[in-house]
Amino acid sequence: MIEIENLHKGFGGEEILKGINYTFDKSKTNLIIGGSGSGKSVLLKCMLGLLTPEKGVIKYDGKPYSEFTEDEKKDLSKQIGMIFQGGALFDSMTVEENVMFPLRMFTHRKKKKENLERVKEVLKRVNLEGSEKKLPSEISGGMQKRVSIARAIVNRPKYLFCDEPNSGLDPKTATVIDNLIQEITHEYDITTIIITHDMNSVLEIGEKIAFLKDGVLAWKGDKSEIFKTDDETVVDFVYSSNLFQKVRDAQRQGL
Ligand SMILES: Nc1ncnc2c1ncn2[C@@H]1O[C@H](COP(=O)(O)OP(=O)(O)OP(=O)(O)O)[C@@H](O)[C@H]1O
């Protein structure tokens, strides 16, 4: 669980996050949605410790990040898995080497055999058995995303941060990737936070949704509530998507 209390962050005198209060639940896919420039990435970077807020508290499983010792901060970074927009795989490394990378960073080199077993295990979990020796350029976009998921979970993280994890994928593959992230979240009891612009993802895996507008938490709820809300700001944002308009119309007609 990650709790955010009264979080403020600005740049050059301009306030970007204006007092966010929110809890990201364990074992759930927590989505952050909102228009461009609403502060989603700034919020994510504050949670990752990459930006320091001017005011407010970020608690990891009850403990404020500002009270972490250097060792605890190191431990925390080991407990965080990241899935970047575009995958961010190392082109010159094989699938296996890419997934091995965080293990090499955080564990002793002598554990090579154990590390290889762990890599094998996570590659199996994301259905990539047999692709170990391939380069990213030799596999499809969907498979590359699977590699980045395997790399993100190889250290058994407690927290998984995903920045538009299905960008650049066709809708069917995007749904498969969304569902895989959701399954892994439940299976390993992870607090998963996903920034997304994709309304299909909201529909599929929006177990908890935070809607940011101009640095303010403008609405919160889940995928069933987002269809029913009359909140103007949410309706404006969400129903700019044709698909959502159709789903809402169908729901209103009781279909
Ligand atoms: N390091 C920085 N220095 C100055 N301004 C910044 C910095 N990082 C972000 N901003 C500003 O903060 C605002 C929010 O940016 P942020 O990247 O969080 O938006 P976002 O909601 O993630 O948008 P998008 O969906 O387009 O990625 C923007 O106006 C951006 O220019």
Side-chain angles (χ1 to χ4, degrees), residues 11 14 16 34-43 45 51 85 164 195 197 212:
F11 301 100
E14 190 193 349
I16 302 295
S36 266
S38 56
K40 303 181 297 294
S41 302
V42 171
L43 175 59
K45 284 178 189 163
L51 288 174
Q85 221 183 92
E164 296 193 45
I195 291 186
H197 284 120
L212 288 194

Side-chain angles (χ1 to χ4, degrees), residues 5 22 28 54 65 96 99 103 110 125 212 233 250:
E5 292 170 10
Y22 194 69
K28 275 199 179 154
E54 277 89 49
Y65 184 75
E96 187 177 82
V99 178
L103 285 176
K110 282 190 180 149
R125 177 61 192 85
L212 288 194
T233 46

Side-chain angles (χ1 to χ4, degrees), residues 137-154:
S137 58
E138 295 170 322
I139 58 177
S140 69
M143 288 165 87
Q144 289 175 17
K145 295 283 175 162
R146 287 171 185 277
V147 178
S148 60
I149 294 172
R151 186 175 62 182
I153 62 168
V154 74

Side-chain angles (χ1 to χ4, degrees), residues 124-138:
K124 187 174 174 200
R125 177 61 192 85
V126 301
N127 291 330
L128 277 179
E129 269 175 318
S131 299
E132 291 84 352
K133 304 296 175 200
K134 291 191 173 152
L135 289 170
S137 58
E138 295 170 322

